[in-house]
Amino acid sequence: MPAADTPPSRRAAGPGIEGTTNAMDLAAAPKIELHSHLDCCLSFEAAHRIEPSITREHYDRNFVAPPRCPSLADYLAYTMNYRRLLQSERALRIAVADVFAQMAADGIVYAELRFAPLIHTESGAMSADEVVACVSEETVRQIAATGVEATLILCTLRDYSAEQSIETARLVERHAKSGPVAGMDIAGDEIAYPLKVHAPAFDFVREAGLGITVHAGEAGGPESVHEALDVTGTTRIGHGVRSVEDPELVARLAESGVHLEMCPTCNVQTSAVESYESHPVDRLRRAGVRVGISTDTRAVTDVRLRQEYERLAATFGWTSGDFAQVNRNALDAAFATPEVKARIATII
Ligand SMILES: [Zn+2]
């Protein structure tokens, strides 16, 4: 459906976000988050548990990026510290349990966590299959323990070869049969590495009936969003902030119902936008584009989804009805099973 609004007839009754009026209510209100990088959400406590030599001071200096980085490359340097830590089954299980605890405290009722399996094989301690198997198993355990429903998205990277992307696509297909894996994403440098080389991997995932989302329109311009739509047939774009520069693209997104997973605080941090006030999330939504709100990297950005909601309310005057709508948009775009979607619809 092209319009950003979900018809009233499809709105579920229940203790959802509509009717909430203040920050306390927004904190407790049920929320959906589709764009969250598992490997960039590690709290100090979890990082210290994995590597006891990490002090609070070291963590604050090396794991949390400043609110405004000169460039995406500067921001990405912080993510490398998480990558080095998450090279064992024990570390990955701690990371999964840690992010579920954070999400439960943040009022998240449904989340999609993404990670790049091949990154976690770099020390040679695990195979990619073992990485996905242990994250899947711990995710199932944490869903049961916390009540936060979730699926997993496996990422390939733009600088990977076609073979590495195909390997990731096969991991998606194999692990979707037995666990919470539901789709594939691609992240990385949008300007230096075109998507075409990865097209066969996305074809494979699409033909397997699984979900596709693509990071685009963050560092790259509107052409990177057009490219993502044309090359992968994606139904979702990670960020897509620079779509606003091209009225034809905005119309294309609105008409096709493509969902934008928007993460405003992170976009300010990576210098994708000048300021929170100039972020196009409100303009795109008013133009009929279906947007949802996520944190992207809870630890690197040092943000919770409730804080993101508070900033949107303060900056753009969003009300509880607006937050309810972005949550419905996210649920419509989610890679969850129809059964899970139906259940979550009763509580948002
Ligand atoms: Zn991202």
Side-chain angles (χ1 to χ4, degrees):
M1 183 180 125
D5 269 311
T6 302
S9 61
R10 291 182 57 198
R11 294 179 187 172
I17 201 167
E18 278 184 297
T20 57
T21 54
N22 60 41
M24 287 288 286
D25 290 334
L26 286 179
K31 308 173 189 71
I32 293 177
E33 177 162 48
L34 298 186
H35 194 121
S36 178
H37 291 264
L38 169 65
D39 53 312
C40 294
C41 290
L42 208 58
S43 66
F44 162 68
E45 289 74 17
H48 178 72
R49 201 172 147 214
I50 293 168
E51 177 48 67
S53 68
I54 293 175
T55 62
R56 169 64 80 169
E57 188 192 7
H58 176 89
Y59 176 87
D60 288 347
R61 197 172 54 243
N62 296 285
F63 287 75
V64 182
R68 181 91 183 172
C69 295
S71 70
L72 184 60
D74 288 274
Y75 165 88
L76 290 174
Y78 289 85
T79 69
M80 296 305 291
N81 295 314
Y82 296 81
R83 188 164 167 166
R84 279 191 281 272
L85 269 191
L86 297 172
Q87 294 291 328
S88 69
E89 179 173 339
R90 173 179 172 270
L92 285 168
R93 286 184 186 273
I94 289 173
V96 174
D98 183 45
V99 74
F100 268 89
Q102 292 179 44
M103 294 192 301
D106 203 12
I108 307 294
V109 292
Y110 174 76
E112 296 188 353
L113 294 169
R114 63 187 72 194
F115 63 103
L118 303 192
I119 279 179
H120 303 285
T121 66
E122 285 169 352
S123 75
M126 286 181 291
S127 69
D129 259 317
E130 288 168 339
V131 168
V132 182
C134 92
V135 171
S136 295
E137 193 183 295
E138 192 62 36
T139 295
V140 170
R141 185 180 302 177
Q142 292 301 325
I143 290 169
T146 63
V148 177
E149 195 56 71
T151 55
L152 297 173
I153 296 170
L154 306 186
C155 304
T156 187
L157 301 179
R158 294 222 181 207
D159 60 329
Y160 277 180
S161 66
E163 290 70 29
Q164 286 172 303
S165 284
I166 285 285
E167 183 183 354
T168 305
R170 291 193 190 283
L171 287 166
V172 171
E173 191 260 346
R174 204 154 54 238
H175 288 271
K177 288 177 182 160
S178 57
V181 174
M184 188 166 85
D185 171 40
I186 187 163
D189 189 334
E190 296 163 14
I191 298 167
Y193 298 97
L195 283 172
K196 202 168 178 208
V197 69
H198 309 285
F202 282 102
D203 290 345
F204 181 85
V205 169
R206 192 175 55 252
E207 283 160 20
L210 295 161
I212 292 173
T213 181
V214 175
H215 277 77
E218 184 185 16
E223 63 282 359
S224 71
V225 178
H226 279 297
E227 179 196 32
L229 300 174
D230 294 339
V231 173
T232 71
T234 188
T235 56
R236 288 170 32 180
I237 297 288
H239 302 297
V241 287
R242 295 191 58 193
S243 304
V244 77
E245 297 170 21
D246 177 353
E248 279 182 30
L249 175 57
V250 173
R252 181 181 182 183
L253 293 170
E255 281 161 21
S256 61
V258 166
H259 182 86
L260 299 190
E261 309 155 359
M262 304 206 89
C263 314
T265 300
C266 184
N267 296 147
V268 175
Q269 190 177 34
T270 62
S271 294
V273 293
E274 281 290 311
S275 64
Y276 208 97
E277 291 71 24
S278 65
H279 197 285
V281 61
D282 191 57
R283 276 173 284 158
L284 287 165
R285 212 177 133 240
R286 287 177 193 280
V289 178
R290 299 176 69 100
V291 307
I293 303 298
S294 295
T295 57
D296 198 345
T297 57
R298 287 171 174 267
V300 185
T301 305
D302 191 20
V303 68
R304 301 287 173 268
L305 197 53
R306 70 170 168 75
Q307 293 172 307
E308 205 73 74
Y309 282 19
E310 287 162 12
R311 287 167 194 168
L312 288 162
T315 308
F316 300 113
W318 284 20
T319 65
S320 55
D322 297 311
F323 293 114
Q325 187 193 71
V326 294
N327 275 318
R328 286 192 296 270
N329 290 345
L331 187 60
D332 283 347
F335 297 153
T337 63
E339 294 74 24
V340 168
K341 284 193 178 193
R343 186 148 41 83
I344 298 298
T346 66
I347 55 174
I348 62 166

